[in-house]
């Protein structure tokens, strides 16, 4: 079966697999749009409606909208968390450091 999407974000026709054109787009709410597609194959002529919706965020916004505080973020997998913990435990020389031990030189700066 051929891929169902194209590089420009349009879908392929589910019947003849030819590219389609997005004919109209209507905002349902701030995170959902209703789209109308038409097949470019004149012999097929299929048209259909699809929905485009926000699933989850990957990186938090630097200027978050307070009205959209309920938008979900991606939950990191256990392997992502464990990799971050392993990375945090390694010192500059590659040896493992104790995270409970304070670093005297990181908390004080030299006085001129």
């Amino acid at each position: 079966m051929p891929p169902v999407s194209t590089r420009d974000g349009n879908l392929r026709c589910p019947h003849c697999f030819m590219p389609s054109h997005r004919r109209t787009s209507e905002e349902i709410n701030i995170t959902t749009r209703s789209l109308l597609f038409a097949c470019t194959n004149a012999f097929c002529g299929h048209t259909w409606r699809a929905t485009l919706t926000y699933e989850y965020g990957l990186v938090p916004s630097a200027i978050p909208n307070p009205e959209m505080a309920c938008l979900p973020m991606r939950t990191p997998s256990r392997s992502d968390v464990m990799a971050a913990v392993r990375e945090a435990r390694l010192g500059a020389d590659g040896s493992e450091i104790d995270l409970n031990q304070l670093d005297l030189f990181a908390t004080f700066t030299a006085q001129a």
Side-chain angles (χ1 to χ4, degrees):
M1 177 185 244
V4 294
S5 65
T6 59
R7 295 185 115 186
D8 61 0
N10 287 336
L11 299 174
R12 292 190 184 274
C13 176
H15 297 284
C16 68
F17 305 111
M18 293 295 291
S20 67
H21 287 300
R22 190 174 27 223
R23 305 307 290 173
T24 63
S25 173
E26 176 185 340
E27 185 174 285
I28 304 299
N29 59 44
I30 193 74
T31 60
T32 307
R33 292 192 75 83
S34 179
L35 310 168
L36 183 67
F37 287 93
C39 181
T40 57
N41 182 350
F43 295 108
C44 176
H46 182 60
T47 59
W48 68 97
R49 186 166 296 280
T51 304
L52 177 66
T53 187
Y54 178 96
E55 192 172 334
Y56 56 81
L58 299 175
V59 177
S61 172
I63 51 168
N65 181 351
E67 295 175 8
M68 303 272 61
C70 63
L71 291 177
M73 292 295 292
R74 180 181 78 96
T75 305
S77 66
R78 186 176 191 284
S79 59
D80 290 345
V81 172
M82 294 307 293
V85 168
R86 274 193 301 277
E87 188 176 304
R89 284 187 160 170
L90 295 179
D93 60 354
S95 62
E96 194 166 315
I97 59 173
D98 183 4
L99 296 178
N100 295 320
Q101 179 64 41
L102 295 176
D103 185 353
L104 178 66
F105 299 107
T107 57
F108 295 102
T109 58
Q111 306 232 348

